[in-house]
Amino acid sequence: PYSFLINGYGRYTNRTSNETTPTPLATFHVKTGSSYRFRVIDAGSMVCPHLIQIEDHSMTIVSTDGSDIVPTNVDALTMLPGQRVDFVLNATKTSKSYWIHITGLPPCAGVPIFTDQVGVLSYDTNSSDIGIYPDSEAPTMTNPLPYTSVLNHPECNGTANNLCDADLRSLNDPKTGVTAKSIVNSRNVYQVNLNFSLYEWTPEQLHGSASFPDTKYYSFHQLDRRTLHSGAINNISFIFPEEVSMMNRNKNISNSCTPSFMTSNCLDSEICECVHIVNLPQRSVVEIIFRDLSNNPAVAHPFHLHGYKFYVMEMVGQNETLKMTNVPSANGIPALRDTVMIKRGGATRVRFYTNNPGDWFLHCHFSWHVETGRAAIMIVK
């Protein structure tokens, strides 16, 4: 993307002509001395993490994906598509206007793409006023707003000024059929390893040649001018079932597979295209370990599970090692999320209790990743 929008507002600068569209900016009006709860939804679909800053203001994070956390103060917040965060802003600064800056992080940063957007925080103005601009020059990607503390940056390391989701704590003990403490401290867990990757095709494999006469026409995306990829989890590229899976309890879903049972047309293939199913036991503590094996391109991925929220137990980056399964939380009751970041080339460990029967979609929240197979159905019967 070449630009973002904030509540539908934004402007765009053409870097070649240096012309900027004369469109209004999103403007948030506050009264001096009051506090405001901002509910932020990352409604993006592409591979950009969004760094959110408000000039000269800190943000007190109070909720992640709709679940309360111990209030945590930061100067900047990073979000990925599908995530929601609530923060409280205290309007205690000098009564004037301040810049809001949304910055695209790699791979959505740098020449030739400078992907960002600005908005305005305006003190003591009418709630219907637009066209308000701060006195200072608008921040840009080459002249950004400074910050000292950030949450959920793709390079987060768990330090006080560079917090990961796994460093947040739930505000209370949300009941999910059993106590949260018994879930995060359990040593009796059902473990699921989900290793996701990109499978690279040659044009001949996808489009046919004398060497590949039996082309299967897999879904793919073109990463650049040369490389063609499908998304996969455990070497399975997901396709949607032809029928409603919950309507087929007494028979097998057609063209379905599990990591231990592949369809007949996949037995000799490096990648299998089928309805990827992961069966989970009911009323059990399930631990999922997401691992990014693609590492090309260097992208942090947001994975979303329908039907459940999970405790974010642990997050590590490239060349780092998880403390692994059966290790209780070192952080009390971790934050609950339903969309979690897997750092570039890294791994994330989450836990939840299976008390919600159904067929639940699990997928990367980047549109073309789920379209080309980075997904599965988690079935709790």
Side-chain angles (χ1 to χ4, degrees):
Y2 285 86
S3 183
F4 302 134
L5 295 176
I6 304 174
N7 285 358
Y9 291 92
R11 62 191 188 189
Y12 168 69
T13 299
N14 186 309
R15 303 291 173 178
T16 303
S17 65
N18 205 31
E19 295 179 352
T20 299
T21 57
T23 45
L25 301 177
T27 304
F28 299 87
H29 301 270
V30 297
K31 298 297 182 183
T32 301
S34 296
S35 296
Y36 295 84
R37 181 170 185 154
F38 283 71
R39 302 179 185 271
V40 189
I41 300 172
D42 190 321
S45 64
M46 302 182 79
V47 294
C48 299
H50 299 100
L51 181 71
I52 302 168
Q53 297 171 265
I54 302 176
E55 183 182 16
D56 291 344
H57 288 74
S58 63
M59 296 172 277
T60 303
I61 311 298
V62 296
S63 176
T64 55
D65 294 347
S67 294
D68 294 338
I69 64 166
V70 174
T72 303
N73 292 319
V74 293
D75 300 326
L77 164 67
T78 306
M79 296 178 66
L80 287 163
Q83 292 188 319
R84 292 89 65 210
V85 168
D86 292 14
F87 67 82
V88 172
L89 178 139
N90 297 315
T92 56
K93 301 293 183 178
T94 301
S95 181
K96 61 176 186 177
S97 297
Y98 299 86
W99 290 110
I100 299 171
H101 194 204
I102 313 292
T103 307
L105 298 179
C108 301
V111 178
I113 298 175
F114 293 86
T115 316
D116 65 346
Q117 189 55 262
V118 289
V120 176
L121 179 75
S122 181
Y123 275 64
D124 301 319
T125 49
N126 294 324
S127 60
S128 60
D129 288 351
I130 59 175
I132 300 169
Y133 297 99
D135 295 332
S136 59
E137 187 175 342
T140 63
M141 296 187 74
T142 54
N143 184 30
L145 296 174
Y147 66 85
T148 58
S149 58
V150 60
L151 171 65
N152 208 33
H153 192 281
E155 303 298 335
C156 67
N157 56 21
T159 59
N161 291 329
N162 200 355
L163 296 169
C164 301
D165 277 341
D167 302 308
L168 302 176
R169 290 186 295 119
S170 290
L171 185 62
N172 45 38
D173 184 347
K175 298 293 190 297
T176 55
V178 296
T179 64
K181 188 174 294 186
S182 66
I183 296 173
V184 300
N185 291 331
S186 176
R187 295 185 179 273
N188 180 23
V189 301
Y190 184 86
Q191 185 181 5
V192 177
N193 288 286
L194 298 179
N195 302 319
F196 61 92
S197 59
L198 291 170
Y199 184 84
E200 185 171 346
W201 300 95
T202 66
E204 291 77 18
Q205 285 174 303
L206 281 174
H207 306 307
S209 69
S211 302
F212 298 96
D214 299 323
T215 305
K216 295 184 173 68
Y217 302 103
Y218 282 84
S219 299
F220 71 95
H221 68 267
Q222 186 170 335
L223 191 62
D224 52 38
R225 293 184 179 182
R226 298 173 302 281
T227 53
L228 310 169
H229 289 106
S230 288
I233 298 176
N234 294 349
N235 295 323
I236 299 173
S237 187
F238 179 84
I239 58 173
F240 283 92
E242 295 178 359
E243 62 277 306
V244 179
S245 61
M246 288 189 69
M247 302 292 287
N248 287 268
R249 279 291 179 256
N250 297 321
K251 62 179 180 179
N252 292 327
I253 300 169
S254 61
N255 203 27
S256 64
C257 63
T258 68
S260 59
F261 176 78
M262 296 294 181
T263 56
S264 58
N265 64 323
C266 293
L267 296 179
D268 297 323
S269 302
E270 294 181 51
I271 184 174
C272 182
E273 188 177 53
C274 54
V275 183
H276 187 179
I277 289 175
V278 179
N279 290 299
L280 301 179
Q282 64 173 329
R283 300 188 187 94
S284 301
V285 177
V286 170
E287 180 169 271
I288 299 179
I289 296 178
F290 298 94
R291 287 189 179 88
D292 178 13
L293 302 185
S294 55
N295 200 31
N296 184 22
V299 175
H301 297 263
F303 267 81
H304 174 55
L305 176 60
H306 292 236
Y308 286 95
K309 291 184 180 181
F310 40 68
Y311 296 98
V312 184
M313 302 284 288
E314 193 178 357
M315 302 169 69
V316 297
Q318 189 175 9
N319 299 322
E320 296 177 329
T321 303
L322 287 165
K323 293 184 176 66
M324 295 308 298
T325 184
N326 290 333
V327 177
S329 170
N331 189 34
I333 308 300
L336 274 172
R337 298 212 77 143
D338 59 36
T339 307
V340 69
M341 175 177 70
I342 292 82
K343 295 198 280 185
R344 297 187 280 254
T348 294
R349 181 165 64 99
V350 303
R351 282 188 180 186
F352 59 100
Y353 183 72
T354 53
N355 64 338
N356 189 17
D359 296 13
W360 303 111
F361 198 36
L362 171 83
H363 60 95
C364 180
H365 228 294
F366 295 145
S367 288
W368 63 77
H369 289 191
V370 63
E371 282 290 328
T372 59
R374 191 167 291 170
I377 300 176
M378 315 294 278
I379 295 183
V380 180
K381 292 190 178 180

